[in-house]
């Protein structure tokens, strides 16, 4: 279930209805025990009657560790499915975009259980709205780049609008690349879009190098 980028009011009616109909909510949790997607849901729904299954994420790139983590998460969810309970696994933004859900879904489906994806508002759409900018014009492409991607510099050569998502620890390097390419003046940024600690930078050069994980940069 996609919960949108942060503002609870950006959750869809379909997402809310799905959560209402599921007995169990699977909530991703970071190392610091933060449950952003669950907090979004709590901001607009009463879920006191739901059973919460916390899924601890491994915030690293080691493939073996990630595979082991996804297998563990799938097994935890399948315990409830085997007992006849429907589970709503929450995903920030849209579940189809750089979400852990796709890996867990593949494992669950391979084990014979059915899944369904509920679409949501993406962070870069919310960021464009917050900045008062369009993402594209007629016949202009849109390139979406993860901030930690090895070939960020190469992808910035693409025509049209560029979006860099989840820059995290790579933000300083991304800003350096934008400056070197003369793209800083065409770049704007929003950190923690829709949350209480949202920060908007129409001039990216005024941002700090440590703005957190949920940073989206829009380059026109």
């Amino acid at each position: 279930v996609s919960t949108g980028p942060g503002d609870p009011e950006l959750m869809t009616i379909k997402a809310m209805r799905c959560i209402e109909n599921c007995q169990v909510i699977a909530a991703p949790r970071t190392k610091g025990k933060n449950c952003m997607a669950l907090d979004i849901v709590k901001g607009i729904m009463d879920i006191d009657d739901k059973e919460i299954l916390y899924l601890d994420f491994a915030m690293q790139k080691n493939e073996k560790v990630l595979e082991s983590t996804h297998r563990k998460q799938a097994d935890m969810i399948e315990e409830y499915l085997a007992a006849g309970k429907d589970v709503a696994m929450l995903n920030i933004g849209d579940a189809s975009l750089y979400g852990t859900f796709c890996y867990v879904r593949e494992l669950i489906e391979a084990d014979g259980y059915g899944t369904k994806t509920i679409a949501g508002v993406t962070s870069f759409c919310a960021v464009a709205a917050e900045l008062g900018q369009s993402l594209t014009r007629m016949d202009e492409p849109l390139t979406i780049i993860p901030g930690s991607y090895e070939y960020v510099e190469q992808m910035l050569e693409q025509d049209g609008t560029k979006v860099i998502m989840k820059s995290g620890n790579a933000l300083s390097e991304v800003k350096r690349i934008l400056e070197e390419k003369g793209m800083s003046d065409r770049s704007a940024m929003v950190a923690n879009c829709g949350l209480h600690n949202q920060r908007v930078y129409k001039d990216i050069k005024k941002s700090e190098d440590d703005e957190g994980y949920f940073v989206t940069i829009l380059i026109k």
Side-chain angles (χ1 to χ4, degrees):
V1 179
S2 304
T3 63
D7 183 350
E9 292 186 347
L10 290 180
M11 273 187 61
T12 66
I13 294 172
K14 190 166 187 174
M16 294 172 64
R17 186 175 295 123
C18 180
I19 292 170
E20 286 174 351
N21 292 334
C22 289
Q23 300 99 316
V24 182
I25 297 177
R29 183 168 62 178
T30 64
K31 197 172 183 180
K33 305 303 180 184
N34 295 317
C35 300
M36 181 176 167
L38 185 62
D39 289 340
I40 293 171
V41 173
K42 287 180 177 179
I44 201 164
M45 296 181 65
D46 180 1
I47 54 171
D48 287 344
D49 62 331
K50 305 297 181 184
E51 186 170 355
I52 308 299
L53 170 63
Y54 292 102
L55 304 177
D56 291 313
F57 276 23
M59 302 297 286
Q60 56 177 287
K61 293 185 178 181
N62 185 294
E63 288 189 14
K64 288 186 177 180
V65 173
L66 290 173
E67 288 175 3
S68 175
T69 300
H70 296 152
R71 181 68 264 177
K72 180 180 179 181
Q73 292 168 349
D75 289 344
M76 292 169 68
I77 291 171
E78 287 179 13
E79 285 186 24
Y80 290 95
L81 299 179
K85 295 182 178 181
D86 289 330
V87 180
M89 180 177 173
L90 307 182
N91 194 103
I92 296 168
D94 180 86
S96 67
L97 193 72
Y98 299 124
T100 299
F101 169 69
C102 66
Y103 305 104
V104 177
R105 177 187 60 197
E106 289 171 358
L107 294 171
I108 289 175
E109 288 183 342
D111 290 337
Y113 294 99
T115 69
K116 183 174 176 120
T117 304
I118 308 299
V121 177
T122 64
S123 61
F124 57 87
C125 287
V127 163
E130 192 65 38
L131 292 169
Q133 298 185 22
S134 64
L135 283 170
T136 59
R137 291 179 180 273
M138 194 65 68
D139 299 327
E140 282 185 358
L142 172 65
T143 301
I144 304 167
I145 312 165
S148 58
Y149 186 52
E150 183 179 355
Y151 301 105
V152 168
E153 190 167 358
Q154 179 180 330
M155 296 301 292
L156 288 173
E157 299 294 335
Q158 302 295 318
D159 292 334
T161 302
K162 274 76 67 175
V163 168
I164 303 179
M165 296 180 57
K166 298 181 178 179
S167 297
N169 295 331
L171 181 57
S172 177
E173 177 65 10
V174 169
K175 288 168 64 178
R176 182 194 64 77
I177 292 172
L178 292 174
E179 182 68 24
E180 283 187 358
K181 287 184 168 292
M183 304 175 87
S184 291
D185 292 339
R186 296 185 280 120
S187 303
M189 186 181 96
V190 178
N192 301 319
C193 186
L195 300 175
H196 68 281
N197 57 344
Q198 171 180 289
R199 297 178 296 284
V200 178
Y201 298 97
K202 294 192 174 181
D203 181 355
I204 195 173
K205 288 180 282 190
K206 293 183 178 179
S207 66
E208 301 293 332
D209 287 343
D210 182 17
E211 292 285 352
Y213 180 67
F214 293 105
V215 170
T216 302
I217 301 170
L218 184 62
I219 305 150
K220 300 291 286 184

